[in-house]
Amino acid sequence: MHNAPIEYGKPPVEAKVKWASLGGFLGSVGLLAVLQAVDADHSLIAWWPDWAEAVTIPLLPTAIGAVAGWKAKHTARPDLPVNKR
């Protein structure tokens, strides 16, 4: 009487997610390297207000991750019906 539920294949991790994660990781590593180099000379960031440092520093990895995710292509799911793609 009732149709059995449709089972779809296990969805792959999308390329967008992989690239955004890699971009966030590399951005964080790069930012930490810069901050360690700057640690010897605090005058490079001392002129920023404390609130600006707290907001601006995390923006670099976030921006890199967002751009990497935006630029990566969507992973196609040919196993899904047309109306679910």
Side-chain angles (χ1 to χ4, degrees), residues 28-76:
S28 297
V29 169
L31 182 61
L32 287 174
V34 169
L35 288 176
Q36 286 181 348
V38 169
D39 191 37
D41 186 8
H42 292 285
S43 66
L44 294 175
I45 60 171
W47 57 274
W48 286 7
D50 288 339
W51 66 268
E53 290 176 20
V55 172
T56 306
I57 289 174
L59 283 178
L60 179 65
T62 303
I64 291 171
V67 170
W70 180 66
K71 293 291 286 180
K73 293 191 182 294
H74 175 71
T75 302

Side-chain angles (χ1 to χ4, degrees), residues 12-21 68-69 72-75:
V13 176
E14 288 212 28
K16 291 183 150 309
V17 175
K18 292 176 186 176
W19 281 107
S21 299
K73 293 191 182 294
H74 175 71
T75 302

